[in-house]
Amino acid sequence: MYSHLSGNISGADVDDALGGERPEAAAGGQNILVIGSDSREGLGDAYGKNLTTMQSDTLMLLHTGGDGKWASVVSFPRDSWVRIPSCTQGDGSTTEPHHFKINEAYAVGGSTGDKAKAAACTIKTVEANTHVRIDHFLIADFRGFTGMVNALGGVEVCPKEDIHDGKAHLDLKAGCQLVRDDKALGYVRARYSIGDGSDIGRIGRQQEFMKSLAARAKSKLYNPTALYGFLDSATKSLTTDPELAGIKPLYSLADSIKGIPADRISFLTVPNYPRERDIPTDKANVSWQQPAARDLFTAMNEDRETTPAALKAAVAELPAAAGTVRVTVLNGTGTRGKAQEVADALRALGFQIAATGNAPAHVDKTTLTYTPDQADQAKSLAGRLPGLTPAPAAPDAGAGITLAIGPDFPDLTG
């Protein structure tokens, strides 16, 4: 039985596809990227019959605290508008860097059906946008989901209102109940007919389902039939990096988490807001709220715990919309065309450019100055520029916000 379960797990080596330019390892603990794959293998045409590429439906980053006393699970909204770096595809070709939804990275790398390349492109994308190094990854696809749920006799969900979702093939009455088969799958996929119809709302339901699934599995630990069925379905659906590809390393991972109290395992979502606030024509995607998102990932790198309450406080106040920020960009680097390059990058983020030009003199360090009536707007711009703190302008300075670019100016293309 042990050999069978261990043999179910597929290993995929991604090291060659990741390259050498990666973030430094975290100060403690480890980071595991969990990818929920939209593979429909074995499910017929009931879901996604028109899919032509590999898809990533759910993306989460698990950080286990170095002291073993806490853990964080951070969900990435699939509509996050991020930079997809250059990736190697299964046929050996490389793609051009571009901006798109974060879940496209899996499809880009896996365009030829290669899960290793799909995982590698997803890891590169997450690392480029979070600056968090991924230590391990797990891909779990749909073909094992219903088997896991059914082996446990179902999982309890408690919808507050009736659900009728044609796209998710789901009809549920309000109230607590056990779901299995297509109802379980439909519940975690339902989006448009529940709440505000957003992916953010679905993330919350998926996180609650995970908690319920874990509790149900724990209650069945002494039922050999249920436990074996659960593990058999789970391992058949898993693809991992070579270091995790086996029962023993996965057990070690589980063993490191099982002693953490439930209230010290935080389920979080990357702080975000509708991208429409910055780009009025984009009504489908979300932007990460800065500096809250960057602070969350910095805490992971520094092995510091972030609680849901702390994150909620950090995102209580939205930054001023990019379209309300007008900035003058001055080139103090001596590199020809730098002001225009930065202005174009800021404009793509939704900021308004008042003017571009050369600074009166060479600038050793980038500065962002503002007049008193522009403090909130300057703070919003600084949130997109890591390491830059806005400062009041000199009394004789002209009105508005001025960005003087030095050689330390952060790369806005990452």
Side-chain angles (χ1 to χ4, degrees), residues 97-306:
H98 62 285
H99 284 82
F100 208 76
K101 298 175 189 286
I102 195 169
N103 71 322
E104 193 205 32
Y106 193 79
V108 167
S111 61
T112 60
D114 188 325
K115 281 191 176 181
K117 295 296 190 296
C121 191
T122 304
I123 291 170
K124 289 184 69 173
T125 299
V126 170
E127 289 188 343
N129 289 276
T130 66
H131 304 291
V132 172
R133 187 182 181 98
I134 305 302
D135 301 306
H136 301 288
F137 73 88
L138 291 165
I139 302 173
D141 65 42
F142 272 148
R143 60 193 168 118
F145 179 83
T146 53
M148 292 165 61
V149 171
N150 290 350
L152 300 176
V155 170
E156 185 178 58
V157 298
C158 298
K160 296 180 180 179
E161 56 188 31
D162 292 352
I163 302 174
H164 304 287
D165 193 308
K167 289 188 176 182
H169 307 281
L170 180 65
D171 285 289
L172 279 183
K173 294 291 186 181
C176 295
Q177 58 202 284
L178 290 178
V179 293
R180 52 184 296 158
D181 299 314
D182 289 348
K183 283 191 175 181
L185 185 57
Y187 184 80
V188 297
R189 287 193 49 75
R191 171 176 179 176
Y192 298 102
S193 63
I194 309 177
D196 61 3
S198 72
D199 187 53
I200 310 304
R202 176 164 60 178
I203 284 175
R205 287 189 298 278
Q206 289 176 342
Q207 291 177 343
E208 288 300 322
F209 192 93
M210 287 174 61
K211 293 178 184 178
S212 185
L213 177 67
R216 185 75 169 174
K218 191 173 182 179
S219 73
K220 297 287 186 178
L221 286 178
Y222 301 106
N223 182 329
T225 302
L227 182 60
Y228 181 77
F230 176 82
L231 292 174
D232 190 38
S233 295
T235 52
K236 282 179 180 177
S237 72
L238 285 181
T239 301
T240 75
D241 58 273
E243 292 182 26
L244 284 185
I247 291 295
K248 186 175 181 179
L250 286 176
Y251 175 81
S252 296
L253 171 61
D255 192 50
S256 69
I257 297 174
K258 71 178 183 181
I260 300 175
D263 62 355
R264 295 294 298 277
I265 300 178
S266 298
F267 285 86
L268 311 167
T269 300
V270 178
N272 64 86
Y273 60 86
R275 190 167 179 257
E276 184 181 6
R277 292 186 77 246
D278 296 333
I279 308 294
T281 56
D282 187 351
K283 303 182 184 301
N285 301 299
V286 297
S287 294
W288 291 355
Q289 183 175 334
Q290 303 294 2
R294 189 161 55 246
D295 291 345
L296 171 62
F297 297 126
T298 297
M300 296 179 77
N301 275 330
E302 296 176 353
D303 198 34
R304 290 187 287 107
E305 184 176 8
T306 299

Side-chain angles (χ1 to χ4, degrees), residues 343-391:
D344 290 342
L346 292 176
R347 193 177 287 112
L349 294 173
F351 294 102
Q352 304 297 308
I353 305 302
T356 60
N358 292 319
H362 180 78
V363 176
D364 293 326
K365 187 176 181 180
T366 301
T367 61
L368 177 63
T369 57
Y370 62 91
T371 47
D373 63 327
Q374 296 292 303
D376 289 342
Q377 286 77 8
K379 183 179 178 180
S380 175
L381 178 59
R384 299 295 190 93
L385 307 175
L388 191 59
T389 301

